[in-house]
Amino acid sequence: MDSRPRETDAPGDPANGAAPPLAAAVTAATGDVEIIRPRNDKRGYRRVVLPNSLECLLISDPDTDKAAASMNVSVGYFCDPDGLEGLAHFLEHMLFYASEKYPEEDSYSKYIAEHGGSTNAFTSSEHTNFYFDVNSDSLHDALDRFAQFFIKPLMSPDATLREIKAVDSENQKNLLSDPWRMSQLQKHLCAENHPYHKFSTGNWNTLEVKAKEKGLDTRLELIKFYDSHYSANLMQLVVYGKDSLDNLQNLVENKFCDIRDVGRKPFSFPGHPCTPEHLQVLVKAVPIKQGHTLRILFPITPNIRCYKEGPCKYISHLIGHEGEGSLFYVLKKLGWAMSLEAGEGDWSHDFSFFCVVIQLTDVGQEHMEDTLGLLFRYIKLLQNSGTPKWIFDELQAICETGFHYRDKSPPINYVVNISSNMQIFPPKDWLIASSVPSKFSPDAIQNVLNELTPETVRIFWESKKFEGKTKLAEPWYGTSYSVEVVPPSIIQKWVGKAPEEDLHLPKRNIFIPSDLSLRSVEEKVSFPAMLRKTQFSRLWYKPDTMFFTPKAYIKMDFHCPLSQSSPESAVLTDVFTRLLMDYLNDYAYDAQVAGLYYVVKPNDTGFQVVSSDAPCNAHVLT
Ligand SMILES: [Zn+2]
């Protein structure tokens, strides 16, 4: 599957020709801008800009039992002062403590917990996000407490020391986590003068010991950082509630108008983290967990600069494909790979990486060079394929269906996504963001494809097998590693000696729907009706009379009386369903790409096939 690895620091096709693009997207009038929103979305949206320049999006959902809010602050660990690693993250923690208006410690978190909600926050490279959800009738009081984070937080001296310890214990936990370790190793092997190189979370050493050695008072530095960086014009707020838009607007105007606006210029970090010495490298690293991972990275033009053309989506769709003729299909057939993901990794407006992550089997570990050879052969094939438009049309159809007919997500997730989008996208794209490529540009795709070269590659190869064979250690997490230079001539050799396999572009995807119209159902049906009955099977059907979306839910029960008759048969049934899923993957991968998820699993009377969330040609799969 294609993927877009998360950027976090503290706590995410038809039978004959492609489906035609769906009709023009629905827009919601929201004052001075129209926000593109899903076609089946009945919620009210309104954009409001307060006099202090705080940009807000209000969402009114009369059916919700949970309210939620998220404040995105366009300040992240890239802004940490030199020598005070983790200050932005530490500030994120400190704002939870207490405020002048609510001086009792943790009164915010307590209030939310007592009213059916939850709170959290995370600090990323260029933003910090605070959020909560709560029973919908408690939104007013919750927001009053939340707003004080950004108006008058206390940041008392005794809380400071305790919270440095909390940040340190968070770091202790991360020390044993391979995703954190490998992410920092990638940052470590970059230019030291680029903020990407920084250690994002901080620990006791950076925030207390070293700060003291330099004669710095961490609390004063924290207050200085808050005063100069946390300005209303760099914040984006989303509030989701049951109330009408007018009431929500009153509420937000009341609670948030006192946040200071110091007119801070948005932060920018020009330049690329990689200089030539950081390219053409093979890094062998020792992970904590068993397993072998091959991570191939290429610096590319950030997709955000042309998100309507969506070149990375197009390329990750193909490199991450699992159908017949794909790279993963071939690697799996050879017994070398268990999974393969491809997509844009860490990125900002100024730099970005395209990543291919392959989980190797024990045998695959012995064939790293061949695996790399096959990857580069597949990339060459894409570079020479002329970017066929039908592939883009399929992708656009899949993404449009996904956007317009997706189920409602929990309000807390929804607000965090949107407030993060607000920092990056113009108001009309706050909801759709970069999820739907809409302009076919062979040039944009070709440009990124041409950036995937042996001249610029960075290969990170992780395996316990390298234990005792590496000489270096990454300073923050202590990950053992070694670095070798891999010139393009070596990669060309690997390409030349990799096995001859039939790599080719995927076939057209027969699961992409071309007709999303709904059959009209005259009367409300309460019970399923039996459509067919034979000696061996029965088929029941019930039309949806509530949601009116082009989706189907199919459940098939296979009765196998002996399947659970002994522990052995229970295990064998389980193994059988897993093998069946694995066997079907080459064929059913297209269905998943088109949004039709299915699972085969054992149950009490045999096994079950369930497919859901299927705004597509579900009948083709069955
Ligand atoms: Zn934290």
Side-chain angles (χ1 to χ4, degrees):
M1 298 289 283
D2 64 317
S3 72
R4 188 185 167 286
R6 253 166 214 270
E7 176 203 17
T8 52
D9 287 299
D13 307 64
N16 305 303
L22 297 165
V26 180
T27 54
T30 56
D32 55 338
V33 281
E34 297 206 319
I35 297 176
I36 299 168
R37 64 178 190 174
R39 200 166 297 136
N40 66 346
D41 190 346
K42 306 282 187 292
R43 292 168 289 199
Y45 292 88
R46 182 181 295 168
R47 172 181 179 256
V48 175
V49 183
L50 302 193
N52 59 1
S53 307
L54 176 68
E55 204 155 21
C56 314
L57 181 69
L58 314 172
I59 307 172
S60 167
D61 179 1
D63 298 329
T64 191
D65 56 355
K66 278 273 189 296
S70 163
M71 179 73 97
N72 181 74
V73 186
S74 308
V75 174
Y77 76 83
F78 276 12
C79 290
D80 281 350
D82 284 337
L84 260 179
E85 292 86 358
L87 195 69
H89 174 221
F90 177 46
L91 175 60
E92 171 225 303
H93 276 236
M94 283 300 289
L95 294 188
F96 274 78
Y97 256 97
S99 57
E100 275 190 20
K101 187 169 179 187
Y102 296 99
E104 191 200 329
E105 275 193 10
D106 284 332
S107 72
Y108 158 75
S109 306
K110 267 187 215 150
Y111 180 86
I112 301 276
E114 283 163 9
H115 293 83
S118 59
T119 66
N120 213 337
F122 61 89
T123 305
S124 185
S125 55
E126 295 184 77
H127 62 265
T128 307
N129 204 307
F130 303 85
Y131 52 96
F132 69 86
D133 67 356
V134 73
N135 292 337
S136 55
D137 54 1
S138 305
L139 177 64
H140 292 227
D141 289 340
L143 269 189
D144 198 50
R145 286 161 172 79
F146 184 62
Q148 297 306 314
F149 280 37
F150 314 101
I151 297 171
K152 277 235 152 91
L154 265 188
M155 302 197 262
S156 65
D158 58 326
T160 306
L161 208 61
R162 270 180 286 145
E163 208 50 39
I164 293 179
K165 286 182 183 158
V167 167
D168 189 62
S169 76
E170 193 180 313
N171 178 238
Q172 296 288 339
K173 170 180 65 73
N174 296 344
L175 290 180
L176 299 173
S177 151
D178 282 323
W180 282 95
R181 295 168 72 88
M182 296 310 159
S183 161
Q184 192 67 42
L185 183 57
Q186 285 166 36
K187 293 171 181 181
H188 179 63
L189 297 172
C190 278
E192 283 182 27
N193 61 0
H194 193 283
Y196 183 68
H197 185 267
K198 288 181 176 179
F199 169 48
S200 59
T201 53
N203 58 21
W204 180 258
N205 204 28
T206 64
L207 293 168
E208 178 64 19
V209 180
K210 282 205 182 144
K212 277 225 173 87
E213 279 170 16
K214 286 186 199 127
L216 294 173
D217 178 332
T218 305
R219 179 170 168 268
L220 289 183
E221 294 299 319
L222 192 72
I223 293 169
K224 228 178 2 182
F225 186 88
Y226 178 83
D227 286 345
S228 63
H229 289 59
Y230 271 48
S231 175
N233 71 311
L234 296 188
M235 298 183 187
Q236 297 85 27
L237 173 72
V238 180
V239 174
Y240 190 113
K242 217 179 172 73
D243 304 63
S244 68
L245 288 172
D246 287 342
N247 286 349
L248 289 174
Q249 183 168 346
N250 270 333
L251 184 65
V252 162
E253 283 171 351
N254 263 318
K255 308 283 184 207
F256 292 88
C257 61
D258 289 335
I259 303 180
R260 288 170 323 126
D261 173 22
V262 298
R264 177 94 217 194
K265 228 176 98 213
F267 296 94
S268 71
F269 306 92
H272 202 285
C274 288
T275 59
E277 65 183 294
H278 306 116
L279 306 173
Q280 300 180 18
V281 289
L282 168 63
V283 180
K284 292 179 183 164
V286 182
I288 301 274
K289 282 193 176 167
Q290 296 292 340
H292 324 285
T293 306
L294 201 48
R295 220 176 282 274
I296 304 108
L297 296 128
F298 303 90
I300 53 161
T301 308
N303 199 66
I304 189 67
R305 294 195 195 155
C306 47
Y307 66 93
K308 301 265 186 215
E309 290 83 358
C312 276
K313 269 208 152 37
Y314 182 99
I315 296 167
S316 56
H317 170 66
L318 294 175
I319 296 184
H321 211 279
E322 299 184 12
E324 200 262 318
S326 68
L327 177 63
F328 179 66
Y329 174 86
V330 165
L331 293 175
K332 197 173 151 210
K333 203 181 73 179
L334 290 163
W336 295 353
M338 291 182 285
S339 72
L340 186 151
E341 296 186 343
E344 197 179 25
D346 290 343
W347 62 271
S348 79
H349 271 279
D350 293 287
F351 71 85
S352 178
F353 292 97
F354 191 87
C355 308
V356 182
V357 183
I358 304 171
Q359 299 293 342
L360 298 170
T361 60
D362 287 345
V363 182
Q365 171 71 6
E366 307 302 319
H367 288 275
M368 183 281 281
E369 296 177 4
D370 290 335
T371 303
L372 256 293
L374 286 167
L375 168 65
F376 276 97
R377 212 183 276 165
Y378 192 71
I379 289 171
K380 190 92 211 139
L381 182 129
L382 297 184
Q383 287 166 340
N384 296 334
S385 70
T387 60
K389 184 168 183 299
W390 67 265
I391 295 178
F392 181 86
D393 291 340
E394 283 194 355
L395 197 58
Q396 184 180 13
I398 293 163
C399 296
E400 287 214 5
T401 312
F403 175 69
H404 285 287
Y405 298 105
R406 67 186 167 194
D407 291 336
K408 267 189 190 176
S409 53
I412 192 166
N413 299 349
Y414 198 51
V415 294
V416 172
N417 270 336
I418 297 172
S419 71
S420 305
N421 289 343
M422 286 167 73
Q423 181 182 338
I424 300 163
F425 298 94
K428 73 176 173 47
D429 291 334
W430 281 351
L431 306 186
I432 196 166
S434 58
S435 63
V436 182
S438 52
K439 285 187 199 160
F440 177 57
S441 166
D443 287 349
I445 297 166
Q446 196 68 42
N447 286 345
V448 176
L449 275 174
N450 291 345
E451 289 176 313
L452 312 182
T453 67
E455 280 75 20
T456 57
V457 74
R458 285 156 60 84
I459 305 161
F460 288 78
W461 187 13
E462 301 148 28
S463 170
K464 282 268 196 214
K465 295 226 160 168
F466 303 136
E467 229 156 18
K469 296 177 187 160
T470 52
K471 291 211 165 65
L472 301 165
E474 185 279 313
W476 299 110
Y477 291 80
T479 307
S480 301
Y481 72 98
S482 66
V483 185
E484 293 161 36
V485 175
V486 183
S489 56
I490 296 274
I491 302 239
Q492 291 313 340
K493 240 182 234 166
W494 295 350
V495 173
K497 73 177 186 57
E500 283 306 321
E501 292 290 340
D502 182 19
L503 288 167
H504 55 81
L505 291 179
K507 291 196 291 286
R508 290 176 191 267
N509 189 335
I510 55 172
F511 295 102
I512 297 177
S514 49
D515 177 11
L516 291 172
S517 59
L518 299 172
R519 302 258 161 82
S520 57
V521 179
E522 304 288 304
E523 62 207 77
K524 201 152 175 86
V525 183
S526 301
F527 299 103
M530 193 188 292
L531 295 186
R532 199 177 71 161
K533 185 177 180 183
T534 71
Q535 195 185 345
F536 298 108
S537 69
R538 269 174 273 175
L539 174 64
W540 301 83
Y541 168 72
K542 182 180 176 300
D544 159 41
T545 53
M546 186 181 275
F547 299 103
F548 300 107
T549 55
K551 293 192 180 188
Y553 182 82
I554 300 162
K555 192 167 170 177
M556 278 180 273
D557 266 332
F558 290 81
H559 287 267
C560 317
L562 297 178
S563 65
Q564 304 290 329
S565 59
S566 69
E568 189 190 5
S569 54
V571 170
L572 289 175
T573 307
D574 186 50
V575 171
F576 164 73
T577 57
R578 285 165 192 262
L579 285 173
L580 188 56
M581 286 284 288
D582 188 64
Y583 174 76
L584 289 172
N585 189 55
D586 308 335
Y587 175 73
Y589 177 74
D590 275 351
Q592 287 191 39
V593 168
L596 174 56
Y597 296 96
Y598 77 100
V599 64
V600 185
K601 58 182 182 188
N603 64 3
D604 290 346
T605 55
F607 69 95
Q608 208 172 48
V609 181
V610 181
S611 82
S612 60
D613 236 18
C616 75
N617 292 357
H619 64 276
V620 185
L621 185 72
T622 54

